[in-house]
Amino acid sequence: MDRFLLNSPKRCEEEESIPSTSNSPTVKKPKYRKYDDSYLEFGFTSTEVNGEERPLCVLCMKVLAPECMLPSKLKRHLETNHKYAVGKSRDYFDRKRKELKQEKSIFFKNASIPNNALIASYKVAFRIAKFKKPHTIAEELILPAALDMLDEATDINKDAHLICYIRFIDNDDMVEDLLFCKNITAGAKTQDLFEILDNFMSENSVDWTKCVGVCTDGTRSMSGCYGGLQALIQNKAPDALWTHCIIHREALASKYLSPELNQVLECVVNVVNYIKTRPLKSRFFKKLCEDMGAEHTSLLYYSSARWLSRGNMILRTFELREEIYVFIKEEGHKHASEFSNKEFLIKLVYLCDIFDKLNSLNTSLQGKNMHLLKSMEKISAFIKKLKL
């Protein structure tokens, strides 16, 4: 009877003892070439993706497929996408590979979360529970107080960086690229910044006399003609000319508003910070926006170190003006009446309009193949439109 049963032990043993006679072909993984050090002459190094070795371009950081690990395909990528780098020496690509590794380590360090962050949150929760306080006090009091003690000019690891870009002519083509991004381990004085720049030039055997121009912002440590960075550079490169960054000059010119408009800006910043620095209120505000069918569900921060954030923050505030009025009115905020005042809203609309135009202008002044003549032409056209 056991042979008629599907799951009988004897039947299972017999099936296991019978050798497999299936003629189904086994699927073999395709074999690809392995990376060779000579491929660096085409601007490629290697990286591992899902256990496979793939070619990585050191110029555009693009990862190609494993079957592209061929000299002909790597050379085709170089000639098609990076014509300016064709014929470059191996040392050029080796330097790009070192810069790529350094940038990866820097960005990984900035994006990583400290291991003590979780322990710190547990300690705070333990202290709140020990004193029998509600857990919301961490969001309403402790977190805003911690934000007040942080410096917004630094990253999450409180590291400062010196970023330098380079522009040069290669075979009648204007080439722009990132020269380096270095951690500022010492002070941020003129001499400290110059030592970082000078050490990089010496390590990479770059001749200072080939430097014909330097563009910085207008701070004293950068623009000082006697003790600033431009003066130290001109000691090494006497023919180098210094120019004040045109975007920085325009940002400085638009920084100081009239007292009435500045009062509106301060009011908006105060309301945004009141909602954004309190996670509990941010969640309630998000729920209110969803219930009212708003296009957005959160506000944007304003940072004086980022000139684009001012216009974006004001525009988002105007788009959510009705939701903000309902929310801060229920909270009893001192600026609640302002968002129902027509005169206040008219000034807010004006700020949205003027900063939207300034942001568009500043964005157009950036990018490749931009020079002083093009920038001045765009600014002149912008001024003419304002006069009209």
Side-chain angles (χ1 to χ4, degrees), residues 114-277:
N115 294 329
N116 295 330
L118 186 60
I119 299 177
S121 64
Y122 286 152
K123 289 183 177 180
V124 172
F126 175 74
R127 290 182 180 275
I128 294 174
K130 185 177 180 181
F131 286 93
K132 298 180 181 180
K133 299 293 184 180
H135 69 278
T136 55
I137 195 173
E139 300 176 346
E140 297 175 354
L141 178 62
I142 298 177
L143 182 58
L147 291 174
D148 293 338
M149 292 183 284
L150 292 177
D151 182 10
E152 67 176 5
T154 59
D155 57 21
I156 59 175
N157 290 326
K158 297 185 178 181
D159 293 335
H161 304 92
L162 176 62
I163 304 176
C164 183
Y165 294 88
I166 187 173
R167 176 183 290 182
F168 58 93
I169 298 176
D170 184 30
N171 296 329
D172 297 330
D173 294 330
M174 183 68 71
V175 181
E176 299 177 6
D177 202 349
L178 174 67
L179 185 61
F180 65 81
C181 177
K182 297 283 188 179
N183 286 334
I184 301 178
T185 56
K189 296 182 180 179
T190 302
Q191 187 63 36
D192 300 324
L193 300 178
F194 177 76
E195 287 180 358
I196 296 175
L197 182 59
D198 188 45
N199 292 336
F200 177 85
M201 301 286 278
S202 301
E203 291 173 359
N204 295 275
S205 302
V206 181
D207 189 2
W208 267 112
T209 58
K210 295 182 179 180
C211 178
V212 296
V214 180
C215 181
T216 67
D217 58 26
T219 58
R220 182 179 300 178
S221 61
M222 291 288 185
S223 62
C225 58
Y226 298 105
L229 183 63
Q230 65 143 327
L232 298 180
I233 292 177
Q234 287 176 343
N235 291 336
K236 294 279 189 177
D239 297 332
L241 299 177
W242 174 81
T243 55
H244 187 182
C245 175
I246 194 169
I247 298 179
H248 186 253
R249 282 187 286 175
E250 187 274 326
L252 291 177
S254 62
K255 183 177 181 180
Y256 300 101
L257 305 172
S258 65
E260 294 182 0
L261 295 178
N262 191 60
Q263 186 177 2
V264 175
L265 178 62
E266 291 179 354
C267 175
V268 172
V269 172
N270 182 271
V271 171
V272 171
N273 291 341
Y274 174 78
I275 299 175
K276 290 288 290 183
T277 57

Side-chain angles (χ1 to χ4, degrees), residues 8 30 32 93-94 110 122 129 196 230 264 267 293 364 366 376:
S8 65
Y32 303 111
F93 296 114
D94 187 42
N110 294 337
Y122 286 152
I196 296 175
Q230 65 143 327
V264 175
C267 175
S364 66
Q366 300 181 86
M376 292 301 298

Side-chain angles (χ1 to χ4, degrees), residues 36 47 53 74 79 106 120 123 129 143 161 166-167 212 223 278 284 292 325 328 362 365 371 378:
D36 188 83
T47 185
E53 190 178 31
L74 302 182
E79 294 175 348
I106 291 175
K123 289 183 177 180
L143 182 58
H161 304 92
I166 187 173
R167 176 183 290 182
V212 296
S223 62
R278 296 166 173 82
F284 286 160
M292 295 182 66
Y325 172 70
I328 62 177
N362 290 335
L365 296 178
H371 49 75
K378 290 188 176 183

